Amino acid sequence: MNYTKKEIKKGIKLHILNTDKFKTNLVAVFLTTKLERETVTANALISAVLRRGSNTLKTQEEISKQLEELYGASFDCGIDKTGDNQVLKFYIETVNDSFLPQTNENILKKAIENILDIILNPLIEDNGFKKEYVEQEKNNMKQRIQGRVDNKRRYALDRCIEEMYQGKPFGLYRFGYVEDLKDINKKNLYERYKQLIEQCKIDIFVSGNVNEELVNIITENQNITNLQEREPIYNQESEKNTVKQGEKIETMDVMQGKLVVGLDVNSQSEDEKYNVMIYNTILGGSANSKIFQNVREKANLAYEASSRYFKYKDNIFINCGIEISNYEKALNLIKEQLEDMKNGDFTEEEVENAKKAIISSIKTIDDEQDTSITYYFGQEMSGNQKSVDEYIERIGKVTKDDVEQVAHKVEINTIYFLRN
Amino acid sequence: MQVIENSKVKETLYLEKLENGLTVMVIPKKGMKKKYMIWGTNYGSNENVFIVPGENTKTEVPNGVAHFLEHKLFEQENGTNSLDTLTALGVDANAFTTNDMTAYLFGCTDNFYPAMDELMNYVQNPYFTDENVEKEKGIIGQEIMMYDDSPDWKVYLNAMQILYHNHPVKIDVVGTIDSISKIDKEILYKCYHTFYNLSNMAIVVCGDFEPEKMLEEIKKRLKENKVEGNIQTFYPEEPDTIVKEKIEQKMEVSRPMYTIGIKVKPTDNPEEMVRRDIAIQILLELLVGKSSRLYKELYNEGIVFGGIGANYEFSENYAHVLISGQSNEPEKVYSRVKEEINRQKQEGISETDFQRIKKKLYGEYVKDYDDVESIANMFLANYFMGINSFDYLSQIDTIDVEYLTQVLNDVFKEEKMVISIVKN
């Protein structure tokens, strides 16, 4: 795989991941903007309205039929939080022409035109989006936001994050808030759209068999040439800004308690975060980890017991699903594991094993198109230009001492428990 | 080895049935760094009544044994746990149980052969004690409770309750707190010795490998195996009818979730299974897919949001269509789906729509061949039903409007339909 990046215009970058390993091509367009209470809901809604119809393909039905004609090109969009930014993500995946019965159609070219058309050439009526689409999508967005409670595990994690980041950008819910929806209409949403497109950071990724001709198709696409240069407005550095919380217990009609422990890692530098990755793997990132072994295998308190590192915000979240009456027991066990880590109560071998696991996952980055795109976007956002090989080398250098140093910086910020 | 090429996806399957009964399949993927191995037995949660080869009487075991066995197989006599050993090698190891099969797997970039040593060792060497069986009941108990909090799982399981009178596909793969309490080491050993005979198993490997060399590596690691006779399994008599049309459960959800089920008469002819699967996938796209008339209407009326999920699940002895999603008016979705089925039957299937959906489906089948893990899993699950996964790529060309119409009339029958709802 060969990765190249070029600036089409100031603030708009084209990332090419050239590879002939796959039967598919994947195109992604990411719009990155600041996470803000004032715009979070409107931004999420924009993404929903855009996929309802463009100036060329005016209805969802037309879009769907077009995608089906392109041998089931799949179009997808999502909203993510990347550090203190809200990222509107659009993807289209197509089959390589060489695996299709008729090879005279250039499927990838059409797919690129379609995705750019959906994002940059929306259906406009009377200086606004189509009213019907806006109103329907407001209703859908309301349902989606309210639907947070349906996945209890995810809900508990989100609630813990909200507590830790109360009043801060990262504490915002990525789809926004129901109460904002009533003031949004076809005109002000379109105004916000224009502002977003003028100011946001735009990254276009193409993974697959990409030649020069295809690069030109993108750079010369009218929807791209119409875009202005910009000094993109987004948060380049993620502020360290958790609020101290302590313990938060909430109730819901659940059978099983969901325990989330949010940790501040307090890394001093970007580079130190590689050490934290090893720390997290030993703490709760694998089946050999302290939390899995002690909470699940020894005490048999849980089926799920793990931890995840959120690199951008430098937090670790520990998750367990437990019997409600076992709350204290599980929490004490978790605290013991954190203490053990501080006391250096883990072996060189565990450090080496953690490295192997992480290196193995780095090596497969190139084997999956969406993973590679996420990886290179992460590099772009952190301003950190490490190649996959350099990344592997850096992980290989982590020592037991480095991990112990991380352990001493780690502090519990919030203990969140969802129970009945 | 038998060499089966497919010119459409430009992939090759190497297959060998060894004398000891084991089937080995290798699908080489040049240039992929990830390597993947999966070892499955044609034994899942549905196989609860059987005759052990050599015995005369039926054995009946509690629900959830296959899954329990999957958890326990990692435990080793020397006190180690194979999942830990594999994890320590830096490989990504796991196992899963379905209604129809159990499988053990790992994926990695390095340490493939040491990991293969471990996988092939633990699958062939069970070690169950009273103590380690008891301890697992706590863990699986929490797994059961995790599913209890999952409304999408509940709405599915409830649909199965009213589709099936007796067939064990209606029972949760993990069993219940009560049924797993009855499991002991003797039961586990008995099921292991019956269903983990090599003649009931298959290994699939996918990655950058030489197939013949891989076969030798596998052979080296196999213990001696006595090929037993066929395992007779029994399923209770299942009427063609549904149990009842509607079931509702209360749970804390933002808005109702529904699963519409259609009971289908199973076929055990592999070719017909594939053709019917393709036809049903096409019909579901035409009925409730993103470009369908019904989806557009329901979406515009605000009755559904997001997509409508639709799939067809089947084996030799059960088959059903499931259509599911979230809606404030699940009953209305149900009646509109019924109307749409009738409309399709009356108006006939449009050739244009059919050709377009066929293209989509073809593209989706091609996309299945990029990831080593999904390739291997697909070949294994299909193999146990007597299907070669490549068949989908050739059979799709044989499907026409006439056959679709026949399947539409045979499968989408109003008297075979049920709805399950979970709401506040």
Side-chain angles (χ1 to χ4, degrees):
Chain A
M1 211 256 323
N2 178 26
Y3 170 72
T4 52
K5 172 163 83 168
K6 78 180 233 178
E7 192 162 53
I8 301 177
K9 267 175 203 173
K10 199 166 164 38
I12 305 169
K13 284 179 187 163
L14 175 63
H15 308 253
I16 302 288
L17 288 71
N18 213 337
T19 166
D20 53 12
K21 220 161 49 168
F22 303 101
K23 295 186 169 54
T24 49
N25 300 301
L26 183 63
V27 181
V29 180
F30 295 168
L31 311 179
T32 304
T33 184
K34 281 185 178 178
L35 248 179
E36 286 173 326
R37 182 66 187 82
E38 294 71 30
T39 54
V40 64
T41 314
N43 292 342
L45 193 59
I46 284 169
S47 147
V49 170
L50 291 179
R51 65 174 180 79
R52 290 300 303 278
S54 74
N55 204 19
T56 321
L57 299 168
K58 293 188 165 50
T59 65
Q60 216 171 353
E61 188 187 2
E62 279 177 63
I63 294 176
S64 297
K65 284 188 171 163
Q66 167 73 5
L67 295 170
E68 286 164 0
E69 282 295 346
L70 298 177
Y71 288 88
S74 41
F75 176 74
D76 204 3
C77 48
I79 308 283
D80 264 352
K81 283 198 283 192
T82 300
D84 288 344
N85 296 296
Q86 189 180 17
V87 186
L88 281 63
K89 295 185 167 179
F90 303 85
Y91 293 91
I92 196 162
E93 187 190 40
T94 64
V95 175
N96 259 336
D97 292 351
S98 53
F99 295 96
L100 295 175
Q102 294 126 325
T103 45
N104 52 348
E105 327 181 39
N106 189 339
I107 302 266
L108 178 57
K109 174 175 178 277
K110 285 186 192 154
I112 288 172
E113 285 164 356
N114 283 328
I115 193 174
L116 294 175
D117 181 59
I118 291 169
I119 302 165
L120 300 170
N121 185 27
L123 181 58
I124 302 305
E125 289 180 355
D126 180 27
N127 264 324
F129 285 123
K130 192 175 162 80
K131 187 172 178 201
E132 187 193 337
Y133 293 171
V134 174
E135 293 309 316
Q136 282 171 352
E137 293 308 322
K138 274 166 70 175
N139 185 36
N140 287 344
M141 192 55 78
K142 182 177 151 201
Q143 304 199 28
R144 170 172 286 186
I145 296 166
Q146 290 170 341
R148 291 176 74 184
V149 296
D150 297 340
N151 182 339
K152 319 289 178 207
R153 291 183 278 165
R154 172 82 204 217
Y155 176 76
L157 174 64
D158 280 347
R159 284 290 303 118
C160 184
I161 293 172
E162 284 177 0
E163 287 297 312
M164 283 170 81
Y165 287 95
Q166 236 174 55
K168 306 287 183 188
F170 197 65
L172 295 170
Y173 185 53
R174 66 187 196 287
F175 291 112
Y177 297 87
V178 172
E179 64 266 29
D180 298 355
L181 291 167
K182 63 177 190 311
D183 295 326
I184 296 179
N185 57 44
K186 56 177 269 189
K187 287 218 159 115
N188 63 22
L189 191 66
Y190 182 51
E191 287 308 311
R192 172 59 202 150
Y193 166 79
K194 283 193 287 188
Q195 192 185 30
L196 175 78
I197 292 296
E198 269 167 33
Q199 298 175 342
C200 71
K201 171 171 170 56
I202 301 181
D203 291 277
I204 302 169
F205 293 85
V206 186
S207 166
N209 218 329
V210 189
N211 53 26
E212 197 53 37
E213 186 203 335
L214 203 75
V215 172
N216 294 335
I217 286 171
I218 296 169
T219 52
E220 289 160 18
N221 181 289
Q222 211 189 340
N223 289 312
I224 296 289
T225 52
N226 286 345
L227 291 170
Q228 302 296 313
E229 295 193 342
R230 79 272 321 278
E231 188 61 63
I233 301 179
Y234 71 107
N235 287 310
Q236 300 206 22
E237 300 230 329
S238 183
E239 232 182 299
K240 170 114 228 109
N241 52 13
T242 48
V243 184
K244 264 270 175 248
Q245 282 299 335
E247 195 179 36
K248 181 88 186 173
I249 297 178
E250 290 183 322
T251 56
M252 197 185 261
D253 181 19
V254 288
M255 297 282 287
Q256 184 188 51
K258 319 288 173 197
L259 172 62
V260 183
V261 182
L263 310 174
D264 282 328
V265 181
N266 304 310
S267 298
Q268 304 299 310
S269 65
E270 263 310 301
D271 188 63
E272 210 179 316
K273 292 184 175 176
Y274 297 99
N275 304 343
V276 184
M277 290 170 73
I278 303 291
Y279 170 88
N280 178 59
T281 304
I282 300 172
L283 178 70
S286 82
N288 283 346
S289 68
K290 291 198 168 293
I291 287 175
F292 190 88
Q293 286 296 321
N294 288 290
V295 180
R296 170 170 157 152
E297 294 297 319
K298 292 207 182 95
N300 307 322
L301 295 181
Y303 168 71
E304 265 195 312
S306 64
S307 70
R308 263 175 73 189
Y309 179 41
F310 282 43
K311 212 169 152 199
Y312 290 105
K313 297 305 292 182
D314 205 23
N315 295 116
I316 288 173
F317 293 92
I318 301 170
N319 291 291
C320 307
I322 52 171
E323 199 85 50
I324 287 154
S325 58
N326 283 333
Y327 173 63
E328 293 293 337
K329 224 193 257 179
L331 189 56
N332 285 334
L333 272 176
I334 289 169
K335 286 178 176 167
E336 269 173 39
Q337 308 319 310
L338 294 171
E339 275 310 302
D340 284 358
M341 292 298 293
K342 268 186 200 151
N343 298 331
D345 199 359
F346 54 94
T347 60
E348 296 277 359
E349 199 191 339
E350 284 179 270
V351 177
E352 290 313 308
N353 291 342
K355 285 188 200 173
K356 274 188 253 170
I358 293 174
I359 288 171
S360 180
S361 69
I362 303 171
K363 284 185 179 168
T364 57
I365 289 174
D366 286 353
D367 279 359
E368 289 165 11
Q369 291 175 296
D370 54 340
T371 313
S372 335
I373 289 178
T374 307
Y375 175 75
Y376 287 105
F377 182 61
Q379 299 274 297
E380 170 73 25
M381 290 298 286
S382 59
N384 187 339
Q385 298 304 331
K386 262 195 179 44
S387 70
V388 168
D389 287 337
E390 287 165 333
Y391 186 8
I392 291 172
E393 199 189 321
R394 174 64 186 84
I395 290 291
K397 283 186 183 147
V398 180
T399 64
K400 180 164 186 281
D401 194 46
D402 293 334
V403 179
E404 266 186 70
Q405 283 189 24
V406 171
H408 283 282
K409 289 176 194 152
V410 169
E411 293 174 295
I412 293 184
N413 180 295
T414 296
I415 297 161
Y416 178 86
F417 191 49
L418 186 65
R419 56 167 298 168
N420 56 32
Chain B
M1 294 180 98
Q2 197 187 338
V3 182
I4 306 164
E5 278 180 73
N6 187 285
S7 58
K8 288 178 174 161
V9 287
K10 305 185 175 85
E11 300 289 358
T12 307
L13 166 69
Y14 295 78
L15 186 143
E16 177 90 5
K17 180 124 180 137
L18 300 173
E19 267 175 33
N20 59 23
L22 180 72
T23 299
V24 176
M25 288 180 270
V26 182
I27 303 113
K29 284 291 276 185
K30 280 263 168 284
M32 282 289 168
K33 288 175 197 146
K34 191 170 169 191
K35 303 170 173 71
Y36 183 82
M37 176 176 218
I38 182 164
W39 192 354
T41 164
N42 192 5
Y43 163 59
S45 63
N46 286 355
E47 281 71 50
N48 285 332
V49 185
F50 52 89
I51 295 179
V52 179
E55 291 185 7
N56 299 319
T57 52
K58 284 184 190 173
T59 297
E60 187 165 359
V61 297
N63 293 321
V65 173
H67 171 260
F68 205 106
L69 195 51
E70 170 222 311
H71 270 237
K72 284 323 306 167
L73 215 47
F74 287 96
E75 206 105 19
Q76 296 301 296
E77 192 169 0
N78 63 10
T80 61
N81 181 306
S82 291
L83 185 62
D84 301 350
T85 311
L86 287 164
T87 307
L89 288 167
V91 312
D92 201 357
N94 215 333
F96 65 84
T97 309
T98 71
N99 289 112
D100 311 300
M101 62 181 274
T102 313
Y104 304 86
L105 56 98
F106 71 91
C108 67
T109 52
D110 303 311
N111 282 333
F112 181 86
Y113 291 103
M116 182 172 167
D117 285 338
E118 185 65 28
L119 176 85
M120 292 193 60
N121 179 51
Y122 83 77
V123 173
Q124 295 181 89
N125 293 291
Y127 177 70
F128 311 134
T129 64
D130 292 330
E131 198 194 351
N132 75 24
V133 169
E134 269 326 295
K135 140 198 144 130
E136 206 65 26
K137 292 180 182 172
I139 296 172
I140 295 178
Q142 287 307 313
E143 187 178 3
I144 292 171
M145 285 176 75
M146 177 180 87
Y147 291 122
D148 280 341
D149 276 341
S150 167
D152 34 2
W153 180 247
K154 283 284 147 193
V155 74
Y156 159 78
L157 213 55
N158 288 347
M160 303 305 283
Q161 300 314 304
I162 55 174
L163 278 173
Y164 292 94
H165 296 265
N166 308 313
H167 195 283
V169 71
K170 70 189 288 188
I171 296 155
D172 198 339
V173 171
V174 292
T176 60
I177 304 267
D178 182 52
S179 75
I180 64 166
S181 74
K182 298 185 186 115
I183 294 173
D184 58 30
K185 70 168 195 283
E186 283 72 29
I187 294 177
L188 294 179
Y189 274 121
K190 189 162 204 173
C191 290
Y192 177 85
H193 290 304
T194 305
F195 292 105
Y196 284 66
N197 190 287
L198 293 182
S199 55
N200 198 42
M201 302 180 90
I203 290 182
V204 189
V205 182
C206 188
D208 200 341
F209 293 109
E210 289 290 334
E212 295 287 348
K213 194 172 158 267
M214 177 50 60
L215 182 66
E216 290 311 310
E217 293 288 346
I218 290 170
K219 280 189 192 163
K220 272 200 307 212
R221 291 166 174 83
L222 288 172
K223 283 172 63 172
E224 198 144 320
N225 183 63
K226 187 168 153 260
V227 181
E228 301 281 359
N230 267 351
I231 310 156
Q232 267 187 282
T233 48
F234 301 89
Y235 305 97
E237 191 69 36
E238 179 63 35
D240 286 344
T241 55
I242 57 167
V243 180
K244 59 174 181 174
E245 198 182 0
K246 200 179 146 188
I247 187 169
E248 258 187 43
Q249 184 178 343
K250 287 201 183 310
M251 267 180 102
E252 195 165 331
V253 285
S254 63
R255 54 197 22 81
M257 288 184 183
Y258 65 86
T259 293
I260 296 167
I262 308 171
K263 191 167 180 174
V264 182
K265 204 172 170 53
T267 167
D268 57 6
N269 173 337
E271 187 183 306
E272 180 54 19
M273 280 188 203
V274 172
R275 297 191 75 219
R276 200 198 271 178
D277 189 14
I278 298 169
I280 291 177
Q281 289 182 54
I282 293 174
L283 288 168
L284 286 170
E285 287 289 344
L286 293 171
L287 291 167
V288 297
K290 279 270 163 77
S291 65
S292 68
R293 186 168 96 167
L294 180 64
Y295 179 74
K296 181 176 78 180
E297 287 173 4
L298 292 176
Y299 195 98
N300 288 342
E301 291 166 39
I303 295 173
V304 301
F305 81 107
I308 299 179
N311 62 320
Y312 175 52
E313 296 182 338
F314 61 95
S315 78
E316 297 96 329
N317 51 49
Y318 67 84
H320 48 257
V321 172
L322 298 172
I323 297 170
S324 47
Q326 244 177 325
S327 166
N328 280 325
E329 298 170 273
E331 309 264 6
K332 204 175 244 176
V333 178
Y334 185 47
S335 61
R336 296 283 286 275
V337 168
K338 283 182 176 174
E339 281 168 29
E340 184 61 22
I341 291 169
N342 286 329
R343 194 190 67 85
Q344 281 281 3
K345 284 181 185 169
Q346 276 157 18
E347 292 179 11
I349 294 157
S350 128
E351 180 71 29
T352 322
D353 289 345
F354 160 61
Q355 290 300 342
R356 196 183 65 247
I357 299 296
K358 200 168 115 179
K359 274 183 161 182
K360 174 187 162 135
L361 210 56
Y362 183 80
E364 282 174 2
Y365 291 158
V366 174
K367 287 182 201 169
D368 285 338
Y369 287 87
D370 263 343
D371 174 50
V372 294
E373 179 171 342
S374 42
I375 296 169
N377 290 355
M378 172 171 75
F379 273 86
L380 182 65
N382 284 336
Y383 176 77
F384 285 142
M385 290 191 282
I387 296 169
N388 171 349
S389 301
F390 288 150
D391 294 346
Y392 279 86
L393 294 154
S394 44
Q395 289 294 349
I396 191 169
D397 291 334
T398 71
I399 309 293
D400 54 20
V401 169
E402 195 188 337
Y403 180 69
L404 280 183
T405 311
Q406 184 198 323
V407 174
L408 179 67
N409 289 316
D410 287 351
V411 167
F412 292 81
K413 288 186 174 151
E414 206 165 311
E415 70 273 17
K416 298 290 174 64
M417 291 178 72
V418 301
I419 181 165
S420 157
I421 298 169
V422 164
K423 64 180 190 185
N424 277 333

